[in-house]
Amino acid sequence: MNARYLSMPHVESGMAVGLFGGSFNPPHDGHALVAETALRRLRLDQLWWMVTPGNPLKDRNHLAPLGERIAMSEKIARNPRIKVTAFEQALGQSYTARTLEAIRARNRDVRFVWVMGADNLKNFHRWQDWRKIVATFPIAVIDRPGSTLAYLSSPMARAFSKARVDEEDAGTLAFRRAPAWTFIHGPRSGLSSTALRSAKFG
């Protein structure tokens, strides 16, 4: 694995940058669709495709090596504004709240938005320090099959209902003070990493 993946991508002061994290085990076109939708609708200068060492809430029995997941992600994330990175490995931990603190500490003049698929919103309240995550950076939730109503029913959506930004104003999200979040509807891919792994391992 190239050492450059262990450092945060280069950014310039004033940029709007999306943070799209996951185990990407394996990455697929559904992930690419979320990334492309975020770039366009949030008017981002960059999107960091953050390949994590491993998700504490997921089974690691069939977790592919980090270098392999990075290589697969590079093949799928074709937009030059998408930067594939695995700097969390160098941080030595995999909890999102701590990762976001480290990003903010090192990039004070950059506007960040946490990007996630709607399928993660249902269990977002199970993430460690999830309220701290919401308070750190604005959040964009991108529609995924079977998860469209999550923005109404999830504990996070209910707890922060007053912080919800209208979808039509998604382009301003990076410049808002957290907590602020929006749900973005759009084209959806039925692909899932779980289904692809099931097909592979039978």
Side-chain angles (χ1 to χ4, degrees):
M1 180 175 60
N2 193 309
R4 70 183 175 85
Y5 291 112
L6 300 180
S7 299
M8 293 184 192
H10 175 74
V11 287
E12 301 288 346
S13 177
M15 276 187 170
V17 178
L19 303 171
F20 182 36
S23 53
F24 300 110
N25 186 45
H28 53 70
D29 286 341
H31 293 132
L33 182 58
V34 168
E36 292 286 354
T37 300
L39 276 170
R40 182 178 70 257
R41 298 288 298 277
L42 300 174
R43 299 176 188 170
L44 302 174
D45 298 299
Q46 270 186 27
L47 181 136
W48 294 2
W49 181 296
M50 296 160 46
V51 186
T52 65
N55 186 331
L57 295 179
K58 292 185 178 180
D59 181 9
R60 299 193 182 203
N61 287 336
H62 295 305
L63 185 65
L66 182 59
E68 184 178 319
R69 288 181 282 129
I70 289 172
M72 290 189 291
S73 294
E74 285 283 21
K75 291 181 180 180
I76 288 177
R78 301 179 186 91
N79 191 314
R81 289 189 291 154
I82 298 176
K83 310 298 180 182
V84 176
T85 179
F87 67 85
E88 279 184 292
Q89 174 78 3
L91 293 179
Q93 54 80 31
S94 57
Y95 289 108
T96 299
R98 296 178 195 168
T99 296
L100 299 190
E101 286 180 353
I103 291 172
R104 182 168 61 179
R106 300 182 192 186
N107 303 276
R108 291 292 185 184
D109 298 322
V110 178
R111 304 283 187 166
F112 290 102
V113 176
W114 177 252
V115 176
M116 65 180 180
D119 48 332
N120 283 315
L121 188 57
K122 180 179 178 181
N123 293 316
F124 185 70
H125 62 287
R126 294 179 58 204
W127 294 23
Q128 186 179 69
D129 295 328
W130 68 276
R131 289 178 180 272
K132 183 182 290 186
I133 296 173
V134 180
T136 302
F137 294 136
I139 296 175
V141 182
I142 312 297
D143 201 2
R144 291 278 287 146
S147 303
T148 302
L149 297 180
Y151 77 100
L152 295 175
S153 60
S154 71
M156 181 281 227
R158 294 198 303 268
F160 290 94
S161 60
K162 293 183 179 179
R164 185 181 169 207
V165 175
D166 192 283
E167 184 176 353
E168 293 182 358
D169 297 320
T172 70
L173 194 63
F175 299 92
R176 292 176 180 265
R177 184 188 298 273
W181 68 281
T182 193
F183 191 99
I184 297 177
H185 297 81
R188 296 175 296 175
S189 167
L191 291 171
S192 79
S193 294
T194 302
L196 292 173
R197 283 197 305 276
S198 296
K200 179 177 179 180
F201 294 105

